[in-house]
Amino acid sequence: MESIEPVFEKHPEYEKNAILERFVEPERVIMFRVPWVDDDGNIQVNRGFRVQFNSAVGPYKGGLRFHPTVNLSIMKFLGFEQILKNSLTGMSIGGAKGGSDFDPKGKSDGEVMRFCQNFMGELYKYIGPDTDVPAGDMGVGGREVGYLFGQYKKISNIHVAVLTGAGLEFGGSLVRKEATGYGLIYIAEEALKHRNDSLKGKSVVISGSGNVAIYAAEKAIMLGAKVIAMCDSSGYIHDENGLSIPFIKEIKEITRGRISEYLDYFKEEELTTEFVKGGIIWNVKCDIALPCATQNELSEESARIIVSNGTKYVFEGANMPSTIGAINVFSKNKIVFIPGKAANAGGVATSALEMAQRSSRQSWTFEEVDSRLKRIMISIYRNIDNAAKEYGCEGNYLAGANITGFIKVANAMLAQGVV
Ligand SMILES: NC(=O)C1=CN([C@@H]2O[C@H](COP(=O)(O)OP(=O)(O)OC[C@H]3O[C@@H](n4cnc5c(N)ncnc54)[C@H](OP(=O)(O)O)[C@@H]3O)[C@@H](O)[C@H]2O)C=CC1
Ligand SMILES: N=C(CCC(=O)O)C(=O)O
């Protein structure tokens, strides 16, 4: 809110029309019961959510998160951030988020399928290609999107882009799996280029080892960086020689194991990787820090460690991984910091590209989608950089992102009247 204060000075019409009061209130919150039967025949019950926050710019768009920590508060913060993020992409998509406190970890494919079918058995009433288009987020990957889509099609008898991140065999877009991670690196490279720097030869620490983290690591290495540490909720692995991402992909995408299993790929005598159980990955000294796990994972204390380690760049792949205290430490120490709403927008932007392909019954090549993604991320960087300069806070990309994202939505809300 503080960062958009100067916008209200320049646009008194926003206050006159109670734009902010309306902006912070979701247009609709849906909560529902999800009963399902586990492999032992026992009936389980979880809670489902969809926060349809703001549709001024376009149909609601945002991920579904399956994680035991999910509650209404987390759904609302994610849905609110999604409004600004989706606005920053320049695409016609509004903000939403949904999910459940269902934990897919340790569940069989059959249990995940039955849960997804019952979840969609309720959600389908409120979504559609021109109404609300969910996608993946934590705990919701290709497997879950496939089951959700299958149930939607069965109930509605319509084969349409009602979910993005779909399988390539039934309308999904190339690059969508890689998009959030790749996009993070594209905007990072743009920020570095503007400082006559680059990822080449840099040491990178990436928290998480899920969809965003894996493909951020893959693209960072493709651009010449060395990824020296990654983690999951059990701890982190660290290797100054650089980690092998194909092994991490196999652990996380195929066997759905723990990050510590990475050490099993090496003979005792050739092992240079350490696993630190329960450790804070931000203790590892690096040039560039990429928090790609979850909200509030990077505390003020960790930010001080990052600064004392000489790290100059922090680009968020996760949604709000840095606490306010951490962001203040970065700001005071002139760290180049780009918030997730700008830096991780590549995922939802590519989801919108998937929607465009589905509407025109086309499938673009990997290179076509990847080059559009790169252009979008470069454009986001330039827009937030210009906004920060225009509003007297040059280099403050959090303010630049909030200002840029907010103005487009506010003007759309103004034009559409008191609704
Ligand atoms: N998927 C997408 O399209 C997008 C996702 N995001 C955001 O990026 C972040 C990651 O999402 P995504 O990669 O899809 O999720 P995944 O579920 O694929 O991966 C999450 C990763 O973070 C780890 N993790 C979770 N909690 C913690 C913790 N407390 N400490 C350390 N590691 C933790 C998980 O480990 P474990 O397996 O042990 O739980 C896992 O490795 C989230 O904030 C999400 O909202 C943002 C834009 C797009
Ligand atoms: N989870 C996502 C992706 C949402 C989407 O692709 O609609 C996010 O932007 O946080």
Side-chain angles (χ1 to χ4, degrees):
M1 294 309 155
E2 287 160 20
S3 63
I4 58 174
E5 234 174 301
V7 174
F8 282 80
E9 287 152 24
K10 206 167 177 179
H11 294 274
E13 69 277 19
Y14 292 167
E15 189 165 355
K16 186 170 174 301
N17 288 275
I19 294 291
L20 190 58
E21 291 83 342
R22 289 189 275 150
F23 193 83
V24 298
E25 195 60 38
E27 290 172 17
R28 193 170 305 100
V29 174
I30 302 150
M31 273 173 63
F32 48 94
R33 178 176 65 203
V34 188
W36 56 281
V37 182
D38 68 21
D39 286 345
D40 299 324
N42 302 315
I43 295 170
Q44 305 293 336
V45 182
N46 283 99
R47 190 169 286 165
F49 303 87
R50 188 68 177 171
V51 176
Q52 297 175 331
F53 220 116
N54 190 302
S55 59
V57 169
Y60 303 108
K61 187 78 187 81
L64 292 171
R65 176 179 290 188
F66 292 168
H67 195 276
T69 58
V70 164
N71 59 33
L72 180 57
S73 172
I74 284 182
M75 293 284 97
K76 284 175 73 176
F77 112 70
L78 287 164
F80 185 81
E81 274 286 280
Q82 201 76 40
I83 308 168
L84 296 166
K85 178 189 317 187
N86 293 0
S87 170
L88 283 168
T89 67
M91 324 286 273
S92 302
I93 43 177
K97 207 76 171 198
S100 172
D101 54 5
F102 171 76
D103 185 359
K105 235 182 276 162
K107 300 291 192 303
S108 68
D109 281 354
E111 289 175 324
V112 171
M113 181 184 73
R114 291 192 296 275
F115 171 79
C116 288
Q117 289 170 339
N118 287 331
F119 179 87
M120 184 53 80
E122 184 61 27
L123 184 67
Y124 86 97
K125 302 168 188 169
Y126 311 101
I127 62 175
D130 299 313
T131 307
D132 183 354
V133 180
D137 192 86
M138 293 179 79
V140 180
R143 173 183 66 171
E144 290 75 16
V145 171
Y147 291 147
L148 290 163
F149 181 82
Q151 182 69 347
Y152 180 89
K153 183 174 65 71
K154 177 153 180 75
I155 294 172
S156 66
N157 197 27
I158 305 172
H159 197 299
V160 72
V162 72
L163 285 152
T164 54
L168 299 178
E169 307 78 10
F170 52 100
S173 171
L174 287 165
V175 189
R176 178 57 189 89
K177 180 174 70 170
E178 299 85 353
T180 312
Y182 279 26
L184 174 63
I185 301 301
Y186 291 149
I187 198 167
E189 189 69 346
E190 187 65 14
L192 287 156
K193 196 170 81 175
H194 278 245
R195 292 161 175 81
N196 301 315
D197 205 344
S198 82
L199 273 151
K200 198 165 173 49
K202 293 289 186 302
S203 60
V204 179
V205 167
I206 302 178
S207 62
S209 48
N211 173 258
V212 178
I214 285 172
Y215 292 98
E218 182 173 89
K219 181 56 71 174
I221 292 167
M222 286 163 76
L223 296 185
K226 193 168 55 168
V227 176
I228 60 171
M230 291 177 77
C231 75
D232 64 18
S233 57
S234 63
Y236 69 84
I237 53 175
H238 172 208
D239 191 329
E240 284 300 320
N241 298 328
L243 298 173
S244 166
I245 304 311
F247 293 161
I248 294 173
K249 270 187 179 179
E250 185 167 328
I251 295 167
K252 290 296 181 179
E253 294 184 341
I254 310 296
T255 57
R256 297 180 185 272
R258 298 284 80 204
I259 196 81
S260 55
E261 294 166 35
Y262 180 88
L263 277 60
D264 301 342
Y265 285 78
F266 302 91
K267 295 192 187 78
E268 190 72 29
E269 60 274 17
E270 63 184 12
L271 193 59
T272 56
T273 309
E274 63 167 343
F275 170 64
V276 181
K277 186 174 168 56
I280 305 290
I281 196 170
W282 307 117
N283 292 321
V284 178
K285 184 176 168 56
C286 63
D287 299 316
I288 300 171
L290 304 178
C292 295
T294 191
Q295 65 277 359
N296 296 328
E297 60 163 303
L298 202 164
S299 64
E300 181 171 341
E301 184 194 353
S302 291
R304 292 190 197 289
I305 293 168
I306 286 171
V307 169
S308 65
N309 281 343
T311 303
K312 292 278 178 278
Y313 303 101
V314 177
F315 305 118
E316 295 186 327
N319 284 310
M320 298 193 96
S322 309
T323 62
I324 289 284
I327 294 170
N328 290 337
V329 168
F330 294 146
S331 171
K332 288 194 181 78
N333 290 277
K334 303 270 180 281
I335 299 294
V336 179
F337 171 77
I338 301 184
K341 69 194 86 180
N344 75 37
V348 71
T350 304
S351 275
L353 295 178
E354 181 170 330
M355 293 163 74
Q357 293 172 74
R358 291 293 296 280
S359 309
S360 57
R361 295 270 191 269
Q362 293 178 34
S363 292
W364 301 335
T365 66
F366 191 98
E367 291 68 29
E368 280 173 311
V369 181
D370 194 34
S371 59
R372 288 172 187 250
L373 167 61
K374 189 169 187 176
R375 282 202 299 275
I376 290 167
M377 298 314 293
I378 290 170
S379 170
I380 290 175
Y381 176 78
R382 289 179 181 161
N383 290 338
I384 65 176
D385 186 39
N386 291 335
K389 287 172 183 162
E390 181 185 345
Y391 282 85
C393 48
E394 182 168 356
N396 181 340
Y397 299 119
L398 175 58
N402 287 340
I403 291 165
T404 308
F406 178 78
I407 289 175
K408 178 179 175 184
V409 179
N411 288 339
M413 291 173 72
L414 210 53
Q416 294 170 25
V418 182
V419 290

